[in-house]
Amino acid sequence: MALTALPGSFRGGLIQPGDPAYDEHRKVWNGSIDRSPALIARCAGPADVIDAVALARETGLPAAVRGGGHSFPGQSTCDDGIVIDLRAMKGIEVDPDARTARVEAGVLLGELDGATQEHGLAVPAGIVTHTGVAGLTLGGGIGWLQRKYGLTIDQLLSATMVTAGGELVRASETENPDLFWGLRGGGGNFGIVTEFEFRLNALGPTVLAGPIFWLMEESPGVLRFYRDWIAEAPNELMTIVIHRKAPPVDFVPHELHGRLVVAVVCCWAGDLDEGKKVIRPLREFGSPVLDLCAPKPFVEHQSMFDPSFPHGRWYYMRSCDVAELTDEVIDITVEHSMRIQSPLTSFPIWQLGGAIRQMGEDDTAFNGRAVGHTFNITCSTQSEEGFEQERTWARGFWSALEPFHTSVYVNFLMEEGQDRVREAYGPEKYERLRALKRQYDPENLFRLNQNIPPG
Ligand SMILES: Cc1cc2nc3c(=O)[nH]c(=O)nc-3n(C[C@H](O)[C@H](O)[C@H](O)COP(=O)(O)OP(=O)(O)OC[C@H]3O[C@@H](n4cnc5c(N)ncnc54)[C@H](O)[C@@H]3O)c2cc1C
């Protein structure tokens, strides 16, 4: 079957090598990924997705599925295959009375926040606005509101999906409940989700949020204080620790530019006066060199990390979960952070807990609700220059933490092999996911992902 053999009813655009738009459309977020698909099928709706899936099935070509394009290892593109590109599917319907939102698969987090915050509502999702709702949700979804409201999947009411056989199915607690269980953490293994329906939660629109910085020499003390301080913190508070070189931007004093710093970034989603009381001990600890934690619109806070993770830079990442920030974990963290070379490297340590633990460990396919912290050892350079050195640093740091690893979040895996995917789910969930895979995608058509093979 020819690649151009999509039926006349296909409403979206088809882009092939030689098309003037090809190079722009084949790019993904991670600049170190450079792949050349044979066809980019820009779907306009579920019917187009069904046609594109049929083309992939009939040609036997590899098929990559693209939501926001943020896959760290570049799994939403491929060489010589078909990219089923959902980016043009941008529908968002908010029902403020029912507190629900229907969201198409090409929507980005910032677009969703913009639409829901108009009504003082939100879906808890990630921390960078240009991440795709689709890939993030299918892996679980961690972010600023997780300790108050839970993971993104904990808000999911239903999903509409195109199966490998080209059928449109719906999954919810009452329709195909097994599939619904698997879609909440199992990634893109079972089919292509065209629409998500989320529960909305009240939020802000003002939150008390932003980073407080210390010089990195203070990090051993700051992290020990931080560990004890968050142990009692209410669920309205979510924090992320960042180690990096201070960026040369206007809001950072000139004398700090390029200096190694540690920051605790807070997001308090509750009564602002109470939040100020909770955060005060942190801002009074040691000698902070910059305090940008202040009341601001949630959507402003939500875009705070965007300039640190733009499209096109070269990125590499290793991730692990740990139960707690023990003295050893802190010492390893500081020792490696002191060796950051690239001015663009900036890595988050996430605080988990809170409402994430309100769902049972087996209620969804997501694994690791009891985790204490997630290390996201991300490194970055502008181009290939210096990348290998930074990548070696990330790998060494991750290996040094190995004795403390408990699990790993599937959305933070690189291409690390089958054992790591199995580890990410744990043996029981993995077997249950395999059984679902046999049911919905027995030929493993959808394999360019954190793959759960059917066999
Ligand atoms: C800068 C950055 C910030 C991030 N921040 C967070 C964060 O705060 N919280 C968090 O939880 N994660 C975060 N992540 C990880 C993110 O959740 C994953 O990279 C996720 O896969 C991105 O989804 P996407 O749609 O943008 O990616 P894509 O690259 O388009 O897709 C990623 C994977 O999902 C599959 N997929 C995408 N859409 C569909 C669909 N509609 N149906 C079926 N399968 C699909 C693809 O096949 C692919 O395997 C971040 C990643 C980056 C790069």
Side-chain angles (χ1 to χ4, degrees):
M1 190 178 184
L3 273 180
T4 44
L6 278 166
S9 57
F10 189 87
R11 290 188 296 135
L14 298 177
I15 301 177
Q16 290 191 273
D19 187 306
Y22 178 74
D23 275 335
E24 197 44 43
H25 284 269
R26 76 184 179 88
K27 277 188 202 151
V28 286
W29 168 80
N30 187 345
S32 76
I33 309 289
D34 178 14
R35 299 198 182 128
S36 300
L39 176 71
I40 301 168
R42 293 188 37 84
C43 300
D48 283 358
V49 175
I50 291 172
D51 288 343
V53 167
L55 186 71
R57 213 175 39 238
E58 285 157 28
T59 55
L61 290 174
V65 180
R66 179 164 179 181
H70 261 212
S71 158
F72 277 93
Q75 289 177 325
S76 45
T77 184
C78 57
D79 278 325
D80 306 320
I82 303 172
V83 172
I84 302 178
D85 187 342
L86 310 169
R87 280 179 298 167
M89 293 170 58
K90 289 284 191 199
I92 306 176
E93 266 177 51
V94 177
D95 182 338
D97 299 324
R99 291 198 166 188
T100 57
R102 303 180 84 86
V103 181
E104 278 196 305
V107 170
L108 305 180
L109 300 191
E111 294 162 345
L112 177 57
D113 286 329
T116 55
Q117 275 288 274
E118 268 183 34
H119 306 279
L121 300 169
V123 179
I127 61 165
V128 172
T129 65
H130 44 78
T131 310
V133 169
L136 175 133
T137 302
L138 293 168
I142 62 176
W144 288 121
L145 305 175
Q146 62 186 8
R147 288 176 38 82
K148 184 166 184 184
Y149 289 125
L151 301 171
T152 310
I153 48 170
D154 300 344
Q155 328 304 319
L156 192 64
L157 297 172
S158 72
T160 307
M161 187 189 86
V162 176
T163 66
E167 262 180 278
L168 198 63
V169 295
R170 201 159 169 275
S172 68
E173 288 291 0
T174 52
E175 284 170 271
N176 300 305
D178 278 357
L179 176 63
F180 190 53
W181 176 88
L183 287 176
R184 287 175 294 166
N189 272 287
F190 312 109
I192 302 182
V193 173
T194 54
E195 187 181 271
F196 300 86
E197 184 192 4
F198 292 109
R199 178 189 308 112
L200 298 173
N201 303 278
L203 177 74
T206 304
V207 291
L208 175 61
I212 303 166
F213 290 87
W214 296 258
L215 292 177
M216 208 186 282
E217 295 89 274
E218 279 209 61
S219 184
V222 169
L223 290 188
R224 283 170 171 81
F225 172 82
Y226 165 79
R227 169 187 64 197
D228 300 340
W229 171 69
I230 55 166
E232 302 300 323
N235 288 356
E236 281 83 358
L237 182 72
M238 157 65 188
T239 57
I240 290 180
V241 176
I242 298 284
H243 288 82
R244 63 168 302 157
K245 289 183 175 172
V249 289
D250 289 348
F251 59 81
V252 173
H254 195 263
E255 62 277 14
L256 286 180
H257 291 181
R259 294 216 38 198
L260 287 163
V261 288
V262 56
V264 177
V265 190
C266 299
C267 180
W268 172 269
D271 176 80
L272 296 180
D273 288 334
E274 200 189 328
K276 282 179 193 156
K277 280 189 216 141
V278 171
I279 293 171
R280 186 181 305 135
L282 176 73
R283 53 177 23 139
E284 289 177 352
F285 179 80
S287 313
V289 288
L290 183 63
D291 184 342
L292 299 171
C293 184
K296 60 189 68 159
F298 176 69
V299 287
E300 182 186 326
H301 177 62
Q302 183 62 344
S303 59
M304 177 199 127
F305 279 123
D306 289 6
S308 299
F309 301 101
H311 288 84
R313 282 185 188 160
W314 284 44
Y315 295 96
Y316 180 76
M317 193 254 310
R318 294 307 302 265
S319 181
C320 59
D321 299 328
V322 301
E324 49 182 338
L325 296 177
T326 60
D327 285 349
E328 290 113 308
V329 169
I330 289 175
D331 292 343
I332 291 167
T333 302
V334 177
E335 186 206 326
H336 285 80
S337 301
M338 288 293 212
R339 288 199 258 123
I340 290 173
Q341 291 294 321
S342 169
L344 305 180
T345 287
S346 162
F347 76 90
I349 307 172
W350 302 65
Q351 177 196 6
L352 276 82
I356 297 174
R357 297 182 186 165
Q358 279 166 11
M359 292 279 270
E361 188 65 61
D362 295 329
D363 289 349
T364 62
F366 179 87
N367 202 34
R369 287 183 184 269
V371 160
H373 299 268
T374 291
F375 275 72
N376 213 189
I377 308 171
T378 308
C379 62
S380 171
T381 54
Q382 196 57 49
S383 63
E384 194 171 1
E385 199 184 332
F387 187 61
E388 196 46 51
Q389 172 180 309
E390 219 55 7
R391 187 157 62 173
T392 303
W393 167 83
R395 288 177 173 147
F397 186 174
W398 181 86
S399 298
L401 285 174
E402 231 170 332
F404 308 95
H405 292 183
T406 55
S407 47
V408 62
Y409 172 34
V410 75
N411 271 350
F412 290 162
L413 282 175
M414 297 300 281
E415 263 164 9
E416 299 177 35
Q418 210 49 59
D419 286 350
R420 287 282 286 160
V421 178
R422 199 182 152 87
E423 242 178 88
Y425 291 111
E428 280 158 31
K429 286 199 186 107
Y430 186 78
E431 286 312 317
R432 188 167 166 192
L433 287 166
R434 250 161 60 132
L436 263 184
K437 179 78 173 175
R438 282 194 286 276
Q439 188 180 343
Y440 286 96
D441 183 17
E443 305 297 326
N444 207 2
L445 182 73
F446 303 113
R447 59 182 175 277
L448 299 181
N449 44 37
Q450 299 301 344
N451 196 231
I452 300 165

